[in-house]
Amino acid sequence: MKEEVDGRIHLGPLGLAGDEQADTLNHGGPDKAVLVFARHRYDDWRRLGLDLPEGGFFENVTLEAPGVDESTVVLGETWRLGGAVVQVTQPRSPCYKLARRWGIDDMVRRAQQTGWVGWYLRVVEPGAVARGDDVELLERPSDAPSVGEVSRVLNRDKRDLDGARRLIDAPGMPARWVAKLARRVAGSLDSDEARRLGPDA
């Protein structure tokens, strides 16, 4: 679980100074420098009986901005976050480690069903950030899919081949996900799904 930090922290191309990631093969890197989770999603989860502390989804930024969540944020939109400029890259695909941390066997599948998973940012311009910083929308592509739509097609509605085709051609889609969706449209199964969900999924 991520813990709240006081004071200003440098946000660089690979993330926040001092942040640690146990699995750098599947997490982190320039396109996953920052994980964001909408604060009001904790209330949504509580209504479903899951009471986690803030930071419980391992996010770097718990964002309090009315109307901003997976359903409204689109791939490629750019924000000013404190002294940095960041860009939305992809939704999070939760893995079994989330379920293991909280001892809830079906947590990953529940996250995928709701779509309340958070999203990643890349750092366009490094800078210092702090708790309470404003987030300003700088640019929003008009034809890009929401992170919620990408998450839905990738992880939940896998038989939505029309949706898969739309995402293959959508701007801002990560190349590895375009390849994955292309295989799905061609009739191939997702070979990495069991590994990501874990042995008890």
Side-chain angles (χ1 to χ4, degrees):
M1 189 176 90
K2 303 293 185 183
E3 297 181 358
E4 196 169 285
V5 177
D6 291 321
R8 302 200 73 75
I9 302 172
H10 181 72
L11 175 58
L14 296 180
L16 293 162
D19 185 34
E20 295 183 358
Q21 293 161 341
D23 179 5
T24 55
L25 179 63
N26 295 303
H27 301 280
D31 287 341
K32 297 181 180 180
V34 179
L35 176 60
V36 179
F37 195 73
R39 175 168 276 133
H40 71 261
R41 288 304 189 204
Y42 283 102
D43 293 330
D44 293 335
W45 276 112
R46 290 184 187 106
R47 283 191 284 272
L48 294 184
L50 184 64
D51 190 4
L52 296 183
E54 289 187 12
F57 278 82
F58 309 141
E59 72 270 19
N60 305 110
V61 174
T62 309
L63 182 65
E64 187 165 14
V68 179
D69 58 30
E70 297 87 351
S71 67
T72 58
V73 172
V74 305
L75 297 189
E77 69 178 58
T78 305
W79 307 343
R80 184 173 300 283
L81 173 61
V85 175
V86 295
Q87 186 176 51
V88 176
T89 58
Q90 57 190 275
R92 180 212 198 144
S93 288
C95 72
Y96 69 91
K97 294 171 187 173
L98 189 62
R100 177 190 291 170
R101 170 63 180 84
W102 297 111
I104 303 171
D105 290 343
D106 66 343
M107 188 168 180
V108 175
R109 293 195 183 279
R110 290 171 68 182
Q112 290 187 166
Q113 286 300 313
T114 60
W116 303 337
V117 295
W119 59 94
Y120 286 105
L121 308 175
R122 74 165 56 95
V123 178
V124 179
E125 295 179 12
V129 298
R131 180 178 61 182
D133 277 347
D134 289 335
V135 177
E136 177 189 359
L137 177 63
L138 300 179
E139 185 177 0
R140 179 183 169 93
S142 61
D143 52 352
S146 71
V147 292
E149 173 69 0
V150 176
S151 180
R152 179 189 69 79
V153 174
L154 274 168
N155 299 320
R156 188 173 77 227
D157 297 334
K158 296 182 181 180
R159 296 183 184 276
D160 182 2
L161 298 185
D162 287 339
R165 293 184 186 96
R166 284 196 304 274
L167 292 183
I168 287 171
D169 295 327
M173 279 289 291
R176 67 184 181 88
W177 285 4
V178 169
K180 180 176 184 174
L181 291 172
R183 290 193 300 271
R184 186 182 298 175
V185 168
S188 298
L189 298 176
D190 297 333
S191 60
D192 64 338
E193 191 72 356
R195 184 170 64 254
R196 180 174 64 83
L197 296 178
D200 299 324

